[in-house]
C-alpha cells in the first residue's frame, strides 16, 4: 500500500541553484545538488558568478539526459537576482525550488578582522540569500502555489571555533531560515537549512590539502569518514522533495557526527 508521499514530487519542477559551479570537474555542494535534482527530473537553472563554471555543471547534467541552463549571477546585486528568477520563469513557466548556496570564508577574530571584510562576508553569505529569496518567493507563489528553499549554513554556527565573521554570518543564515519559514508557511513555502561539516569540496581543496589534513578531518567525525559535496546534494534534494512535506524551519546537520566530538579547528564547515 502506497503512502501519500511515495512520489518525491521533483519531476517537472524547476529549481534555481545559486553557486552551482565548481572548479574543473570538482563536485561542490551546489553542483551536486543541481546534478541530483536533474536526475530526479527537475529542470535546473545553475547560476554562478563565473558563468563558465555553471556551464560545466550544465554539461554534466545534459550528459546524463537532464535539463538545465546556465546563468551568470552576482547574487550581491539585486538586479542580478531579479533577472535570475525571471530567467527561470521565462524558460519553463514556473519556479518551485531555490538552493541558496553562495558563500565565502574568513578567519579573523573581531580584533583582527577589517570592517570592510566583515561587511563583505555578511553580504555574500547572508544578503545574497535575502535577495534571491526576496524575488524567488513571489515567483513561487504566483507560478507554483508554493515551493521549497534550502539555505546552506555551517556547523560553525552551532559550535563556534573562531572564524568569527564566517561563524556570525552562518548563524545569521539559521535565523533567516526560521523567520522565512514562519513568514511564508501560509504561502505553501517550506524553508530549511543545512549545516555541512568539513566537506571535501573544491572550495576547500583548491587551497591545497595534504593527505594528513584529510585524515585529520575524517577522524573528527564519529563515522571516521570524510564528507563530500554529494552528501550535501542528497540532503538538498530530500528537503526539496515531497518526502519532506512536513518539515520547515529546521536545521539539518550533515557532518558525520563532527559536532558530537571535541573542538576541531582545521577548516571551514562550508
Amino acid at each position: 500500500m502506497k503512502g501519500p508521499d511515495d512520489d518525491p514530487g521533483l519531476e517537472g519542477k524547476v529549481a534555481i541553484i545559486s553557486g552551482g559551479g565548481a572548479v574543473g570537474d570538482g563536485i561542490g555542494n551546489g553542483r551536486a545538488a543541481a546534478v541530483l535534482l536533474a536526475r530526479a527530473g527537475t529542470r535546473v537553472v545553475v547560476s554562478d558568478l563565473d558563468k563558465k563554471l555553471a556551464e560545466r555543471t550544465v554539461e554534466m547534467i545534459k550528459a546524463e539526459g537532464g535539463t538545465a541552463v546556465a546563468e551568470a549571477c552576482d547574487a550581491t546585486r539585486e538586479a542580478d537576482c531579479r533577472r535570475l528568477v525571471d530567467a527561470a520563469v521565462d524558460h519553463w513557466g514556473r519556479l518551485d525550488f531555490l538552493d541558496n548556496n553562495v558563500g565565502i570564508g574568513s578567519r579573523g577574530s573581531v580584533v583582527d578582522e577589517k570592517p570592510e571584510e566583515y561587511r563583505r562576508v555578511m553580504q555574500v553569505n547572508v544578503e545574497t540569500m535575502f535577495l534571491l529569496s526576496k524575488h524567488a518567493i513571489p515567483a513561487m507563489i504566483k507560478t507554483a502555489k508554493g515551493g521549497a528553499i534550502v539555505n546552506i549554513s555551517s556547523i560553525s554556527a552551532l559550535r563556534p571555533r573562531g572564524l568569527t565573521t564566517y561563524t556570525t554570518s552562518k548563524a545569521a543564515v539559521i535565523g533567516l531560515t526560521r523567520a522565512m519559514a514562519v513568514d511564508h508557511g501560509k504561502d505553501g513555502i517550506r524553508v530549511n537549512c543545512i549545516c555541512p561539516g568539513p566537506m571535501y569540496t573544491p572550495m576547500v581543496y583548491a587551497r591545497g590539502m595534504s593527505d594528513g589534513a584529510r585524515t585529520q578531518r575524517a577522524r573528527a567525525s564519529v563515522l571516521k569518514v570524510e564528507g563530500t559535496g554529494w552528501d550535501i546534494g542528497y540532503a538538498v534534494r530530500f528537503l526539496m522533495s515531497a518526502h519532506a512535506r512536513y518539515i520547515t524551519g529546521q536545521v539539518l546537520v550533515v557532518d558525520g557526527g563532527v559536532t558530537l566530538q571535541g573542538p576541531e579547528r582545521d577548516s571551514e564547515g562550508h
Side-chain angles (χ1 to χ4, degrees):
M1 184 177 186
K2 290 186 176 181
D5 301 325
D6 287 338
D7 178 1
L10 296 170
E11 188 170 359
K13 301 294 179 65
V14 176
I16 290 175
I17 310 294
S18 71
V23 177
D25 290 336
I27 301 298
N29 299 336
R31 176 170 283 171
V35 170
L36 292 171
L37 283 166
R39 286 178 183 173
T42 302
R43 296 165 289 183
V44 184
V45 179
V46 183
S47 77
D48 202 280
L49 184 61
D50 185 341
K51 189 176 181 180
K52 290 182 179 179
L53 301 183
E55 288 173 340
R56 180 60 188 129
T57 303
V58 169
E59 289 173 0
M60 293 177 172
I61 290 171
K62 289 185 175 180
E64 296 184 355
T67 303
V69 296
E71 295 284 344
C73 179
D74 180 350
T76 67
R77 298 170 59 87
E78 184 174 4
D80 275 23
C81 294
R82 183 188 300 111
R83 180 183 53 76
L84 181 61
V85 171
D86 289 344
V89 176
D90 289 345
H91 276 292
W92 295 301
R94 62 186 297 144
L95 178 62
D96 302 89
F97 309 129
L98 170 65
D99 178 20
N100 276 314
N101 193 67
V102 175
I104 58 174
S106 74
R107 291 188 175 276
S109 68
V110 168
V111 174
D112 298 329
E113 194 78 274
K114 296 179 180 179
E116 56 269 26
E117 179 62 17
Y118 172 86
R119 288 190 289 268
R120 177 62 177 169
V121 172
M122 295 298 289
Q123 179 186 38
V124 173
N125 290 3
V126 186
E127 189 175 331
T128 57
M129 298 188 184
F130 166 82
L131 290 174
L132 281 167
S133 300
K134 180 179 182 64
H135 292 282
I137 288 170
M140 291 177 180
I141 295 170
K142 182 178 180 180
T143 66
K145 310 302 182 190
I149 297 173
V150 176
N151 298 324
I152 304 299
S153 179
S154 167
I155 60 169
S156 291
L158 305 175
R159 195 187 67 189
R161 56 211 163 88
L163 312 174
T164 301
T165 300
Y166 177 81
T167 297
T168 301
S169 69
K170 291 303 184 178
V173 169
I174 294 175
L176 178 65
T177 297
R178 289 172 169 165
M180 286 169 55
V182 172
D183 286 340
H184 300 290
K186 67 182 187 302
D187 300 314
I189 294 174
R190 297 180 298 103
V191 188
N192 290 291
C193 178
I194 294 174
C195 286
M199 321 305 288
Y200 189 64
T201 66
M203 181 179 175
V204 174
Y205 63 67
R207 298 191 300 266
M209 181 173 291
S210 68
D211 290 342
R214 292 189 66 186
T215 299
Q216 181 183 0
R217 285 156 58 88
R219 287 176 178 170
S221 99
V222 298
L223 299 176
K224 306 306 178 189
V225 297
E226 186 178 38
T228 73
W230 293 116
D231 297 304
I232 304 305
Y234 278 112
V236 170
R237 188 171 72 173
F238 165 70
L239 288 173
M240 289 181 176
S241 77
H243 297 306
R245 60 181 285 272
Y246 206 52
I247 301 174
T248 194
Q250 301 305 305
V251 177
L252 176 59
V253 180
V254 183
D255 73 341
V258 170
T259 48
L260 302 176
Q261 304 280 65
E264 180 65 41
R265 303 175 61 94
D266 59 340
S267 67
E268 294 90 342
H270 188 81

